[in-house]
Amino acid sequence: MNEKNIFCYVMVAPALAITIVLGVYPMIDTMLISFQSYDLLTLQNEGTRWIGLDNYREILANEKFLQTISQTVIFTVLAVGISVAMGLFLAQIVNAEFRGRSVLRTIILSPWFVPPVVASAIWLWLLETNTSPINSILLDAGLIERKIRFLTDSDTIGPFSIPMLSIVAVRCWNGLPIIIIFLLAGLQSIPKSLYEAAEMDGGGVWAKFRYVTLPMLQPVLMVLFALLFLGGFGHFEMNYIMTGGGPRNLTNVLAVWTYQEGFQFLRYGKAAAAGGIVLVMCSIISVFYLWAQSKDNRS
Amino acid sequence: MEKLKLTTAVLTLSASFLTTAPAGAESIEFWTQTYGDQIKWTAAIKELTEAYEAETGVKVNHEIVPWSSSRKTWLAVAQGGAAPDCADMWWLHSFSAIGGDKFGPMPINDFKSKFPVEDFYEGALQDSTWRGDFYGVPWRGDIRAQLYRTDIAAEAGVTQAPENWDEVIDAAKKMTKRGDNGEVETWGYSFGSAAKVVDWLMPLYWQAGGEFMTDDGKTATIDNDAMRKALTFMHDMVNVHKVADPDAFEKGYKARPAFVAGKVAMIGSAEQAWGNRLETENPEMDGKWSFARSAAGPANRASFSGAGYLGVLRGSEKVEQCVDWLAYLSKDDNMLKLSQAAGTVATKPAVMATDFWSDRPYKVVVAEALEDAHTSQHPAPSWSAISTSEPGGILYDMIYSVVIEQEDMDEAISSAQDLMQDQLDR
């Protein structure tokens, strides 16, 4: 091992140690717990018996848990899809040169300064049926006849419900700035000459976006999608604070289910098994991302 | 020279450690949640700890555990996390079971004579006793009673608080106001003051003559007529009489802003601490609200009551110091100070008989409501999980399926009975 290699290992070591202690070890420990009968109330008398896949069998036989998995996927796909689409649009705008661009950038980025817990509390107030100022404005303007039950309406259209869409909207509002920052950085790294060449070839706005912007943003988009999907599958705050998973389990997601199973019902084994399902889902995304990246490198 | 400086520094540091060591041995760690106004609460504890230190030389280091994370904190402590010497706790049965004889709450039977147990309300003492063991001092009551808007009541021709369920229905109908489009502008009734749906059921079920389990905490007893009566009342208030907001059964519901804004006229089971809060935080509400004892159900007028207790934690090496500190706090004057700061009813009749608890009409009422108190704690470790007001909770799901999803009541109760029994067998 040469000196340069040693230096690299030394520099990486602290980060690696932190990752192992705070990330890898708890993950492995949680997976071990998911194969045990880890019940806080019986722990003192019965210990933690090894029960194989029983926790997984039990939670996967629970209809509400299966609904929760599908809600998690719907929530993540919607939140990621809408956020990235809006991010692409807004990043293009704030990337353009015009008067007041700095002000617009500040306004667009401002939700980023609001922590998700605070954002949840603010939007909970804004969307609570009886006290919602949004409802008041819409009613006064004559745009609606009845208050919209943003967080409590249990009617559904297919897999979609108003509460779920409301939380997705809040998530997008809160998460959009970081997406814009990512995309803006990507946009600014695209050489202007490519756009000029496209223009000379007679390409319009759509053609420049389709044949220049999108391909050049592909690496950034790949990282972004991977991060957002991973974050989406583990998302907790907004769903827990705003609806607790209700009404009728329509906004429940895996992280909320896991929290309730562990901290409210004291069944850590089943909570860990639910965490295992999240891990599998995240692993699929990671494997897909790594495969896409290696394919990209090969090409 | 450098060496001399270093030696001097080391000696100085060592000396400082040596001088602080005895003080450390004479200090205890004491954790509480926050009650009422955080500044007032912290000041009250500071006053008590300073007076205690002056009297005994023992320093009490007070730390606040935020309510938002307290359950997780105590769960961790009960499993062997870093624990204080003594603390303000609740869910005694769950935390004790989790900790077994290693961690969590510690029985202090040997020191029981240091506490004036005969001076406490008997019901409050239940909240610091488990399986015959004495765990500490019950210090705060959480009695709930009816709360209503006197201005809305007067406008609706309701002259006094309802005395029974029929009168509740009648008053709620009169006080429910609808706009031209049929939208409700003021709900006549709300079951409780926060979206703790299971807490709402409890007094109604007791009022109908039911009990959730046998005295030994081993058998679930919810599949009966009392439960049917309680659930029918809840169901009908929402779906038949349409005087209670179905949205209240969802997580984000907050009754306080709705009550203050006149969107809710009456709350069946409101926390008495609201009296203090309405006085201090909403002076504009002066003269517009009043407390009353719970309305009677078919069997009685039982009222939801809980208590927190001050106890010692297993693993503490300062048990005797802690017991002395808790005994100090259990004196009438100090209990009164805690009660004043927290705005919660006291657990001793002598404190409730002081001027402080009779200088406002609402205080007189909540003191009277203590006669209806029925403890919300039950002698089963799994009760904290059973009574959780979250989707997936046995009682929550039962209430939700009957009241909101309007599913078959007998089936919902029968299923909940079986699930609850499974939990009691855990």
Side-chain angles (χ1 to χ4, degrees):
Chain A
M1 197 179 286
N2 62 31
E3 227 172 72
K4 193 180 165 190
N5 278 349
I6 292 171
F7 176 75
C8 291
Y9 284 120
V10 169
M11 294 308 286
V12 169
L16 196 62
I18 290 170
T19 307
I20 289 169
V21 173
L22 300 179
V24 178
Y25 168 71
M27 190 171 71
I28 293 169
D29 200 36
T30 304
M31 287 305 92
L32 289 175
I33 289 173
S34 76
F35 299 114
Q36 295 168 351
S37 167
Y38 201 119
D39 182 329
L40 285 197
L41 293 178
T42 59
L43 193 63
Q44 291 299 325
N45 300 325
E46 297 177 10
T48 54
R49 283 182 297 113
W50 190 266
I51 54 169
L53 292 169
D54 282 3
N55 284 328
Y56 288 92
R57 279 192 206 101
E58 274 186 48
I59 63 170
L60 288 169
N62 182 337
E63 224 171 83
K64 283 196 170 167
F65 183 74
L66 296 178
Q67 186 195 1
T68 302
I69 294 180
S70 72
Q71 293 295 150
T72 308
V73 174
I74 290 168
F75 170 80
T76 307
V77 169
L78 280 179
V80 173
I82 294 170
S83 302
V84 172
M86 286 179 72
L88 271 171
F89 176 69
L90 291 170
Q92 302 265 15
I93 290 177
V94 294
N95 191 39
E97 285 179 19
F98 59 92
R99 236 174 119 88
R101 184 173 73 162
S102 305
V103 176
L104 187 65
R105 278 187 179 183
T106 309
I107 291 170
I108 287 176
L109 297 182
S110 58
W112 192 30
F113 308 135
V114 184
V117 172
V118 179
S120 306
I122 293 169
W123 281 97
L124 182 57
W125 172 70
L126 286 171
L127 299 176
E128 204 276 322
T129 311
N130 290 310
T131 52
S132 169
I134 299 173
N135 265 334
S136 300
I137 292 166
L138 294 174
L139 278 168
D140 290 347
L143 294 172
I144 54 172
E145 285 184 0
R146 286 177 175 278
K147 290 171 189 164
I148 301 172
R149 297 167 67 206
F150 291 105
L151 299 174
T152 52
D153 193 332
S154 58
D155 292 339
T156 54
I157 301 169
F160 304 109
S161 62
I162 291 178
M164 178 58 99
L165 294 176
S166 300
I167 296 176
V168 166
V170 177
R171 170 74 170 163
C172 291
W173 173 85
N174 195 227
L176 199 54
I178 188 72
I179 296 171
I180 293 173
I181 288 170
F182 261 80
L183 294 173
L184 194 56
L187 285 174
Q188 287 176 350
S189 69
I190 301 174
K192 283 188 178 162
S193 56
L194 292 177
Y195 289 108
E196 287 162 7
E199 261 176 24
M200 286 175 70
D201 288 342
V205 174
W206 171 246
K208 282 193 276 185
F209 178 74
R210 168 78 180 77
Y211 296 108
V212 178
T213 307
L214 268 186
M216 295 302 286
L217 279 182
Q218 196 194 350
V220 177
L221 281 171
M222 267 175 57
V223 174
L224 205 51
F225 273 121
L227 289 177
L228 292 175
F229 271 104
L230 293 177
F233 287 148
H235 180 72
F236 174 74
E237 305 98 331
M238 283 163 183
N239 294 61
Y240 185 70
I241 293 171
M242 294 175 75
T243 61
R248 300 188 189 198
N249 210 43
L250 289 171
T251 60
N252 212 353
V253 289
L254 281 167
V256 172
W257 200 94
T258 305
Y259 175 84
Q260 287 168 335
E261 199 60 23
F263 292 107
Q264 301 292 348
F265 307 128
L266 314 176
R267 298 181 287 242
Y268 276 22
K270 289 192 177 66
I277 305 279
V278 177
L279 182 69
V280 169
M281 291 167 74
C282 290
S283 300
I284 293 170
I285 298 295
S286 302
V287 167
F288 180 75
Y289 169 71
L290 291 171
W291 170 78
Q293 205 177 33
S294 65
K295 190 181 161 198
D296 197 38
N297 287 344
R298 282 196 303 275
S299 66
Chain B
M1 190 65 188
E2 286 302 312
K3 200 172 178 182
L4 181 66
K5 272 184 189 170
L6 188 64
T7 311
T8 312
V10 169
L11 285 174
T12 310
L13 270 174
S14 307
S16 69
F17 274 119
L18 284 173
T19 52
T20 54
E26 289 300 321
S27 67
I28 50 178
E29 292 294 319
F30 175 60
W31 293 1
T32 72
Q33 280 79 236
T34 317
Y35 298 88
D37 180 285
Q38 185 165 343
I39 296 170
K40 277 188 192 166
W41 174 250
T42 311
I45 299 285
K46 188 165 181 257
E47 187 190 330
L48 286 165
T49 54
E50 283 176 354
Y52 182 69
E53 188 180 0
E55 195 176 303
T56 63
V58 175
K59 183 167 173 53
V60 179
N61 296 316
H62 176 226
E63 269 190 45
I64 283 183
V65 180
W67 273 108
S68 57
S69 60
S70 60
R71 189 182 168 105
K72 280 164 276 179
T73 302
W74 294 120
L75 279 178
V77 164
Q79 292 174 82
D85 296 303
C86 43
D88 157 36
M89 295 183 78
W90 82 116
W91 287 135
L92 169 66
H93 310 158
S94 294
F95 295 144
S96 297
I98 291 168
D101 55 3
K102 291 179 190 160
F103 310 110
M106 175 180 170
I108 48 172
N109 298 316
D110 295 346
F111 301 97
K112 195 171 179 180
S113 59
K114 290 204 166 193
F115 299 94
V117 284
E118 62 285 352
D119 294 347
F120 288 88
Y121 287 113
E122 203 181 319
L125 278 172
Q126 284 177 27
D127 295 327
S128 63
T129 308
W130 186 48
R131 292 186 175 164
D133 287 326
F134 176 70
Y135 280 80
V137 187
W139 74 274
R140 70 173 166 94
D142 172 12
I143 185 74
R144 296 181 192 174
Q146 283 187 96
L147 175 67
Y148 65 104
R149 290 281 301 243
T150 48
D151 53 345
I152 298 174
E155 207 180 296
V158 176
T159 53
Q160 61 175 35
E163 285 287 325
N164 55 53
W165 285 7
D166 288 337
E167 287 184 22
V168 168
I169 295 167
D170 187 45
K173 281 181 179 171
K174 286 178 181 165
M175 292 193 285
T176 299
K177 287 187 219 165
R178 291 175 194 279
D180 296 337
N181 59 359
E183 287 266 282
V184 174
E185 289 173 353
T186 299
W187 292 100
Y189 188 78
S190 175
F191 294 98
S193 53
K196 292 179 181 169
V197 176
V198 178
D199 288 9
W200 304 345
L201 171 74
M202 285 190 212
L204 297 173
Y205 180 49
W206 296 325
Q207 286 162 14
E211 286 293 344
F212 285 91
M213 61 185 74
T214 49
D215 288 345
D216 60 7
K218 291 183 176 167
T219 310
T221 55
I222 59 171
D223 192 352
N224 54 34
D225 277 348
M227 184 58 82
R228 284 178 189 84
K229 282 177 188 166
L231 286 175
T232 301
F233 178 77
M234 293 183 89
H235 172 274
D236 290 356
M237 292 300 271
V238 173
N239 303 297
V240 178
H241 311 306
K242 298 186 188 298
V243 293
D245 186 356
D247 285 4
F249 288 74
E250 308 301 342
K251 177 141 182 156
Y253 177 74
K254 290 190 171 44
R256 210 177 111 77
F259 182 77
V260 171
K263 292 178 188 297
V264 165
M266 176 168 51
I267 297 176
S269 180
E271 287 144 332
Q272 49 82 31
W274 268 35
N276 189 19
R277 291 191 67 187
L278 285 168
E279 263 197 352
T280 53
E281 295 172 27
N282 299 98
E284 77 281 6
M285 291 282 288
D286 190 29
K288 293 180 181 174
W289 59 274
S290 184
F291 262 109
R293 286 174 71 178
S294 298
N300 58 56
R301 58 164 78 218
S303 185
F304 181 104
S305 159
Y309 83 99
L310 301 167
V312 184
L313 275 297
R314 290 181 192 273
S316 170
E317 291 172 357
K318 296 164 186 171
V319 177
E320 284 187 29
Q321 290 98 319
C322 276
V323 166
D324 282 345
W325 162 238
L326 300 186
Y328 175 79
L329 289 179
S330 70
K331 290 177 182 174
D332 289 355
D333 287 350
N334 296 332
M335 282 270 153
L336 177 61
K337 279 178 189 160
L338 290 172
S339 176
Q340 282 174 319
T344 53
V345 287
T347 49
K348 293 173 100 174
V351 178
M352 291 309 293
T354 56
D355 289 345
F356 175 76
W357 277 108
S358 56
D359 65 356
R360 302 275 197 290
Y362 86 85
K363 290 182 182 173
V364 174
V365 172
V366 295
E368 284 172 1
L370 284 168
E371 290 169 28
D372 311 321
H374 187 307
T375 181
S376 55
Q377 307 280 341
H378 286 70
S382 55
W383 177 243
S384 66
I386 292 168
S387 62
T388 293
S389 281
E390 299 264 352
I394 294 166
L395 297 176
Y396 176 88
D397 282 354
M398 176 184 73
I399 299 165
Y400 198 87
S401 68
V402 171
V403 179
I404 302 300
E405 300 184 334
Q406 302 198 59
E407 289 173 355
D408 184 78
M409 186 185 296
D410 287 336
E411 206 174 292
I413 295 174
S414 170
S415 163
Q417 162 83 20
D418 292 344
L419 291 168
M420 184 168 159
Q421 189 56 54
D422 285 347
Q423 290 299 307
L424 293 182
D425 293 339
R426 253 167 111 178

